[in-house]
Every structure is written in C-alpha cells, then in structure tokens.
Amino acid sequence: MLVALKIKRFDPERKPAAWWSNYKLEAAPGDRVLDLLVRAKDELDGSLTFRRSCAHGICGSDAMRINGTNRLACKTLVRELGSRITVEPLLGMRVEKDLVVDMEPFLASYRSVKPYLINDEPLPADGRERRQSPAERLRFDDTTKCILCGCCTAACPVFWADGEYVGPAAIVQAHRFLFDSRDRGAGEHTAALLDMKGVWRCRTIFQCTLSCPREIKITQAIAEVKQAIVLGK
Amino acid sequence: MQSLINFTYASTHYRPREGMIAFLLHRISGLATLLFLSIHIVDTSLVYFYPQYYNDFIGLYRLPGFMLAEIALMAGVIYHGLNGFRIALFDLVLPSAWTIQRERLSVRLTILLAAILWLPAGIIMGGNFIGYTFLGWH
Ligand code: FES
C-alpha cells in the first residue's frame, strides 16, 4: 500500500525553523512506523532526525506522537494507522531537532524519587539475598515494566501546563520501590511527591494509562501511591 | 499565562479521549460555579451595604442571557459534583477500578447521569426562561 507520511520537522539553524515534510512510501501493513522513518532517512532525506536503539520496544528511545497519540514507532504497525500517517515530537518537552526532544527535565524528575532500592539493614544471616515471596514480588510487578520512554508524562495535560510537575513516569518508579517488600526508603521515595509538583497534582485524566506502550496501569499506580502517602506506608 | 498557552496548544494537538473530556468539563464547570458564587456574594452583600440597589441587581437574573447561563450552570454543578464523587471513589477507595474499560464506562455514565438529573431542573428553568422572556411574566 502507498502511505502518505507527514513528519513535523524542526531545525534551530534553519529558517523557518519548523516545517512539515511529506513523503510517499510503499509499505506493507506489517511494517512498523520506525521502518518507514528509517527508509525515509536512508532513501529520501538524510537530515531527518529521530532516536531509536533497540527497535523492539524495550529501550524506550523512539517515543513520539503518531496520529495524535504518543506511541513507540517500533511498536506501531502501519496496519493500525491506515495510509495517512502523521509523526510529531512529544509534547511538553523542548524539541532539539525533528523528533528528538530534550529528556533531561524528565530524567531529573525520575531521579527525584530515588529510583533504587533503599535498605541499610544488615544482610540476612546467610549473607546472601533478601528474600521475597512470589506474592510480594507480584505486588509491584506492573510498575517494573516501565522503560522510561516518556509517552505517559508527555501525554499528561497537567505536565503540559506545568513542566515542573514530576509526571506519571516518576510516580510509577516511586511505586515500584514503595511497594517492594525489601525496600525501607518509603519516605525518601515520596519526599519529592508531597508538594505542589508532586503526586497530588494528578487530576486522573487517564491519558498516561492510555498512552503507555507497556500497558502499565499508571493511574491506578498513582492512586496507590496517594493512598500509601495518606495511610503512611 | 504561559501554562495556559502551553496547555491550549498541547491539548489541541493530541487526540482527546473520555478522561480528557471529563477533565475539561470538570474545570469549566468548576470555574463557572466559582464565577456564579462570586456574583452571588456581591448581590447578597448589597442587602447590607446598599439595600436600595438590591432589587435592581436581582432583576439582572431575569435577563435572557443570565437565565440561559443559569440553566447551563445547573448542568455544570450537577456534573461537577458527580464527577468529583467518581474521582474520589476511584482514587481514595478503589484504585483498582482505574482500568481502561471502567474509566471509559464511568465517564460516560457520569455524563449520562448528570444529564438525567439535570433534566427536571432544565425543564422548569427553561419554562421560566420562556415565560419571562417571551410571554411577559414578571
Ligand atoms: S527503539 Fe527501543 S523502544 Fe523503540
């Protein structure tokens, strides 16, 4: 099938800095949007810029807005979209070039929840691992799936209005450690979530959950973090 | 102001779904209610400060634009209350209800229920509107 691919371009050194590129490409329904981008760059315009690494939906590099919703280009098939495909960069983040946005503020929010296991207690008597039952592991299984692609945070209207809001991705990371039975750092994970820029800023608009390419139940995780804070987890 | 500009740009460049619509209706109805309450505080305080103007001010509520806005406000207040209840219930009591299917269904039901509850008031207020505006009631 013939696909009309429309891409929002941006180059700070060019005038005008923003424009649209339109390409016509022959594609199979099973092709991924990433395949089309790679072909457009290889065959039609070498200056087209986007990020990708694994090409298999696990590194989180190629989050972008495809036909108006955030997705991973490597996990979106032409078949799902039809013959007109529009690709734009994520919203709410500064565009550096074409589809590449500045992820640094996003990653700073991620770091603010101390996304690592905090436990200063001595190791178990055998000096080996801290054990956990399958049920305890299951408690935070959903939020371990996050690949930090940014689809959720860049789909959040609260984040669009105020880039200082920590955003759903950071709260998902806090959830992952907060509900880990081995973790003792609840207060440290949630410290950054208590103020105006934190978890209470969530308005349950649900855009995060709908845009997550890993199908994490993000709004639910955020609600559980809110509960944990109120009930003193 | 910048945040309003950013929000307006982004929300018109992203495909809206149920949750976004529920949120926008909630915001707009909340602001409309706040505006009405502010006006209401002003008119009631006239009784104390300038009683001679009170009746004139109340007369404003009989202007066609005002009456129509009040009918819409009624819908807004009902929706705002119900939607707030939905969010509080899901967020504080039942986080596991935040699934895609339940969220979609709950937004639709909330809007439907608000419309049903609004209908009687809408009919009575609509009748008043027609009476005062076109049939010369006073
Ligand atoms: S390229 Fe790694 S997630 Fe798409």
Side-chain angles (χ1 to χ4, degrees):
Chain A
M1 67 199 273
L2 194 66
V3 169
L5 181 64
K6 188 175 162 192
I7 303 175
K8 181 82 186 264
R9 307 290 301 273
F10 178 82
D11 181 350
E13 287 164 11
R14 190 178 179 274
K15 271 199 171 58
W19 74 102
W20 290 93
S21 284
N22 289 287
Y23 305 115
K24 291 243 184 299
L25 291 170
E26 197 54 52
D31 281 349
R32 303 163 305 170
V33 172
L34 181 63
D35 298 323
L36 302 189
L37 292 176
V38 169
R39 273 178 41 212
K41 183 174 175 71
D42 287 353
E43 297 165 15
L44 303 167
D45 183 351
S47 72
L48 176 64
T49 308
F50 53 91
R51 285 196 185 106
R52 70 107 180 81
S53 181
C54 70
H56 288 86
I58 202 63
C59 72
S61 307
D62 60 344
M64 49 190 78
R65 205 157 19 115
I66 302 173
N67 284 7
T69 6
N70 291 351
R71 302 161 182 258
L72 296 177
C74 63
K75 270 187 94 173
T76 309
L77 301 182
V78 169
R79 172 190 303 140
E80 302 165 37
L81 303 167
S83 59
R84 300 175 76 83
I85 300 177
T86 307
V87 183
E88 297 161 273
L90 295 178
L91 288 162
M93 301 180 183
R94 190 178 58 80
V95 180
E96 290 183 333
K97 191 160 188 278
D98 296 345
L99 303 171
V100 174
V101 294
D102 178 11
M103 300 289 281
E104 188 40 45
F106 170 83
L107 295 171
S109 292
Y110 166 59
R111 288 190 292 267
S112 76
V113 302
K114 305 206 175 169
Y116 40 82
L117 194 91
I118 300 176
N119 188 339
D120 292 333
E121 292 171 4
L123 288 174
D126 64 2
R128 299 173 65 170
E129 65 198 301
R130 301 180 199 276
R131 299 186 74 90
Q132 188 168 50
S133 72
E136 287 169 333
R137 173 62 180 74
L138 204 59
R139 181 65 192 87
F140 60 94
D141 187 64
D142 200 40
T143 43
T144 62
K145 294 191 243 154
C146 175
I147 55 174
L148 289 172
C149 63
C151 278
C152 59
T153 296
C156 173
V158 178
F159 178 77
W160 295 338
D162 179 1
E164 302 265 296
Y165 168 46
V166 293
I171 304 172
V172 160
Q173 291 297 328
H175 181 281
R176 184 253 169 269
F177 291 98
L178 213 48
F179 289 93
D180 187 328
S181 60
R182 301 163 297 182
D183 191 270
R184 298 289 175 269
E188 293 188 58
H189 299 306
T190 55
L193 302 180
L194 302 177
D195 64 7
M196 276 291 291
K197 311 291 181 195
V199 71
W200 302 107
R201 200 71 186 271
C202 166
R203 293 288 180 271
T204 69
I205 307 171
F206 215 69
Q207 305 252 90
C208 50
T209 309
L210 291 174
S211 66
C212 179
R214 307 283 296 166
E215 292 169 14
I216 300 172
K217 299 191 191 84
I218 304 179
T219 312
Q220 176 182 337
I222 296 176
E224 288 174 358
V225 170
K226 288 174 184 167
Q227 270 193 343
I229 290 174
V230 171
L231 303 175
K233 154 100 189 26
Chain B
M1 196 59 204
Q2 191 56 42
S3 63
L4 189 64
I5 295 170
N6 293 346
F7 172 82
T8 312
Y9 175 83
S11 53
T12 48
H13 289 77
Y14 200 91
R15 232 175 63 211
R17 303 304 296 259
E18 285 84 346
M20 183 72 180
I21 292 161
F23 164 72
L24 281 179
L25 288 176
H26 199 80
R27 263 294 144 96
I28 294 167
S29 60
L31 286 173
T33 311
L34 181 68
L35 178 68
F36 174 78
L37 286 178
S38 317
I39 299 174
H40 190 46
I41 288 171
V42 172
D43 72 50
T44 308
S45 62
L46 283 181
V47 175
Y48 185 79
F49 296 109
Y50 304 100
Q52 65 274 33
Y53 295 128
Y54 180 72
N55 282 339
D56 297 333
F57 201 107
I58 292 300
L60 290 179
Y61 290 111
R62 296 264 178 262
L63 293 176
F66 242 107
M67 294 188 81
L68 282 179
E70 269 184 335
I71 298 175
L73 182 71
M74 194 68 199
V77 169
I78 294 173
Y79 170 78
H80 197 86
L82 286 176
N83 193 50
F85 181 73
R86 175 185 74 97
I87 292 173
L89 182 71
F90 278 27
D91 236 25
L92 301 177
V93 186
L94 286 172
S96 59
W98 283 123
T99 62
I100 292 180
Q101 297 79 3
R102 290 205 186 137
E103 194 264 352
R104 284 199 175 141
L105 184 68
S106 68
V107 171
R108 289 175 186 187
L109 284 180
T110 304
I111 294 176
L112 183 71
L113 193 61
I116 292 173
L117 289 178
W118 168 79
L119 212 58
I123 291 172
I124 296 171
M125 294 169 85
N128 281 342
F129 167 70
I130 293 171
Y132 282 106
T133 314
F134 300 111
L135 307 179
W137 297 0
H138 33 246

